[in-house]
Amino acid sequence: MKIAHIIKDEKFPDSAYEFFEAVVPGQSNYYLPGKKRIHHLEKIIPRRCSGLAFFSRKFIDEINSHDAVVFHSLDRFAIEVLARIRKNIVTVWIGMGYDYYDLISGERGNLLKPLTKKVSSKKSKMLRLSPVHLLKSVLLRFASLNHSKKKQLVKRINIFSPVLAQEHRVIHEIMGDPFPEYVKWNYGRIVDLVEGGFGDIKVKGVDILIGNSAAPTNNHLDTFELLLKIGLPEDARLIVPLSYGDQSYRDKVIAAGVEKFGDRFVPITDFLSMEEYVQLLSNCSSVIMNHLRQQAAGNIFIAYLLGAKVYLDPSNLLFDELNGMGLAVGDLNSLTREQLKNDQVFDKDFFHKQRDSVREQKNRSAFVSQTENLISRIKIMSSELKMADGE
């Protein structure tokens, strides 16, 4: 069985590589569009291709020579490949969140709270581009002929694995039938931490973590306003990861953070290794993720493993998901200074209870089992599709 993976240069595909190799070793090929130097992939040696490779008959024939295609996010490149490959090849969409929330909420602005919406603008990124990069961006958008047909193409997909099962249900209800089958599968990036790979690290600081990136969906400015209103505990700093995302938005967040909190505002603009990031989180007794959609799930599980208290907007589908897992999640809309102050006192019983709950559901064997189940469904579907076509 041969599986083609369409990936991006980010932190997640290496985790997929680990578990696919554990279940079906040597049967996967990883395709990375674009020619930029690789920054994040460490385990995968990808097959490089042009960002417009979907126009190449040779490239599409190569993808078609596989039994299945796994799209790690459904971006413009993935959509164009999906539109061109044969109908009887099994297609799997591993959803990231940002690539399917347009099917739930429509425009990105619907995921932004009032203050963040005021400073966020799609135009800002285009204005920063050099004339050459601007031309390339325009040509790429023009070449993405099938992007407007995303909803129709999604219905051609055989398996859809979003981060949360609830998200599959919600999108299915919105789009109706036919719709891809749900198979539970998630990236297992936190497995090493879950199984004690970094030792018995726990929260030792009193800072507050805010958000996970320089994406406007973090709603940083609205979080800042909330914290100004309720007041910060005396010794707390604001730790704000901004190492990836929208640079223009990041600059606005930093300017606002410095203006409102001075040296108590600590932006993190450098990429950190997992070990460095865990050490950073261990300084934070409270974690605030002010998203209106599922986002930063990996960061949140790490926070639980360390014994931190987590606060979300209850409209975020992740809020109910975490409660269903037996994890304590605070309502951000009712957050008080007293709660943040209480969080600064390490709760040993809370730490053990939350850590054990995460370890029970996010250990290595759980991710291997998910991958085995996914491979089993792919094999069955592949046989069914080929039989239907008389192969």
Side-chain angles (χ1 to χ4, degrees):
M1 184 176 187
K2 293 174 61 181
I3 304 172
H5 296 257
I6 307 299
I7 64 172
K8 303 178 78 170
D9 179 24
E10 53 187 26
K11 54 195 175 183
F12 297 102
D14 275 342
S15 174
Y17 174 86
E18 177 183 350
F19 292 105
F20 273 83
E21 286 303 302
V23 176
V24 282
Q27 296 183 39
S28 291
N29 293 315
Y30 294 83
Y31 293 85
L32 176 64
K35 299 298 183 181
K36 292 182 179 179
R37 184 169 65 88
I38 293 174
H39 291 283
H40 305 293
L41 299 176
E42 296 179 353
K43 297 178 182 178
I44 296 173
I45 301 177
R47 300 188 180 192
R48 306 302 299 270
C49 60
S50 161
L52 298 175
F54 47 78
F55 281 128
S56 166
R57 186 70 255 171
K58 181 180 179 181
F59 174 76
I60 295 300
D61 286 344
E62 183 172 341
I63 300 299
N64 279 337
S65 70
H66 296 78
D67 299 290
V69 183
V70 179
F71 296 102
H72 295 265
S73 83
L74 202 62
D75 60 8
R76 289 178 179 271
F77 183 87
I79 288 173
E80 294 302 323
V81 174
L82 175 62
R84 290 167 169 82
I85 55 178
R86 57 186 170 89
K87 300 292 193 298
N88 66 345
I89 189 171
V90 179
T91 48
V92 181
W93 174 16
I94 305 298
M96 304 294 291
Y98 63 78
D99 56 338
Y100 55 77
Y101 259 80
D102 57 319
L103 302 177
I104 298 177
S105 303
E107 291 296 321
R108 180 188 67 163
N110 294 331
L111 298 172
L112 306 183
K113 293 189 175 183
L115 296 178
T116 298
K117 184 178 286 190
K118 285 183 180 180
V119 303
S120 177
S121 171
K122 285 186 176 181
K123 295 180 182 179
S124 60
K125 184 176 181 180
M126 298 296 289
L127 291 173
R128 291 197 318 274
L129 296 176
S130 68
V132 173
H133 284 93
L134 181 61
L135 178 60
K136 286 183 178 179
S137 179
V138 171
L139 289 175
L140 181 59
R141 288 176 180 271
F142 181 74
S144 304
L145 303 175
N146 289 288
H147 191 258
S148 62
K149 302 175 183 177
K150 180 177 179 178
K151 290 183 179 180
Q152 298 97 300
L153 289 167
V154 164
K155 291 179 175 291
R156 279 186 49 187
I157 294 172
N158 301 108
I159 294 172
F160 174 32
S161 299
V163 178
L164 307 178
Q166 290 185 74
E167 293 170 324
H168 182 276
R169 175 183 55 77
V170 169
I171 301 173
H172 188 183
E173 289 176 355
I174 292 171
M175 295 186 61
D177 293 320
F179 196 72
E181 175 183 322
Y182 173 72
V183 176
K184 183 178 181 179
W185 194 89
N186 293 128
Y187 295 100
R189 290 191 69 243
I190 65 170
V191 162
D192 289 336
L193 182 58
V194 168
E195 300 194 343
F198 298 140
D200 194 22
I201 301 176
K202 57 178 71 70
V203 169
K204 60 181 184 293
V206 296
D207 295 330
I208 301 169
L209 183 80
I210 297 179
N212 74 313
S213 67
T217 48
N218 285 270
N219 291 305
H220 290 98
L221 270 69
D222 299 86
T223 304
F224 294 165
E225 190 66 21
L226 170 64
L227 293 175
L228 284 173
K229 181 179 178 181
I230 66 174
L232 293 179
E234 292 179 6
D235 299 326
R237 300 178 303 165
L238 302 184
I239 308 299
V240 187
L242 298 167
S243 58
Y244 67 96
D246 184 325
Q247 183 178 334
S248 175
Y249 172 75
R250 180 192 70 183
D251 294 342
K252 293 172 184 176
V253 170
I254 292 175
V258 170
E259 176 189 352
K260 297 176 187 298
F261 302 103
D263 59 6
R264 299 181 74 181
F265 172 78
V266 184
I268 308 300
T269 57
D270 294 328
F271 287 102
L272 303 178
S273 68
M274 178 64 87
E275 292 87 348
E276 292 170 326
Y277 194 67
V278 170
Q279 288 292 342
L280 179 72
L281 262 64
S282 71
N283 292 317
C284 302
S285 55
S286 305
V287 171
I288 296 176
M289 297 292 180
N290 198 3
H291 311 99
L292 292 176
R293 70 165 175 90
Q294 168 278 124
Q295 193 170 327
N299 294 262
I300 290 169
F301 286 124
I302 292 173
Y304 282 123
L305 287 166
L306 298 175
K309 307 295 174 54
V310 175
Y311 298 91
L312 304 180
D313 189 304
S315 63
N316 184 339
L317 291 178
L318 190 56
F319 189 95
D320 290 336
E321 181 86 3
L322 294 171
N323 273 323
M325 293 175 62
L327 297 167
V329 53
D331 183 343
L332 185 56
N333 295 330
S334 59
L335 181 64
T336 65
R337 181 179 184 273
E338 194 63 28
Q339 282 178 293
L340 295 174
K341 191 173 181 179
N342 290 338
D343 293 348
Q344 294 180 332
V345 180
F346 184 75
D347 187 332
K348 188 175 180 180
D349 290 339
F350 176 86
F351 163 66
H352 286 294
K353 182 180 178 181
Q354 302 301 282
R355 184 190 61 181
D356 291 347
S357 182
V358 173
R359 285 181 172 177
E360 180 181 341
Q361 300 170 74
K362 297 291 180 180
N363 56 63
R364 190 176 305 277
S365 63
F367 288 105
V368 170
S369 179
Q370 286 182 22
T371 308
E372 288 174 341
N373 184 52
L374 177 60
I375 294 297
S376 176
R377 289 302 300 146
I378 289 174
K379 287 181 177 179
I380 291 171
M381 287 185 173
S382 181
S383 296
E384 291 175 345
L385 289 172
K386 289 175 180 178
M387 287 179 64
D389 274 7
E391 291 189 18

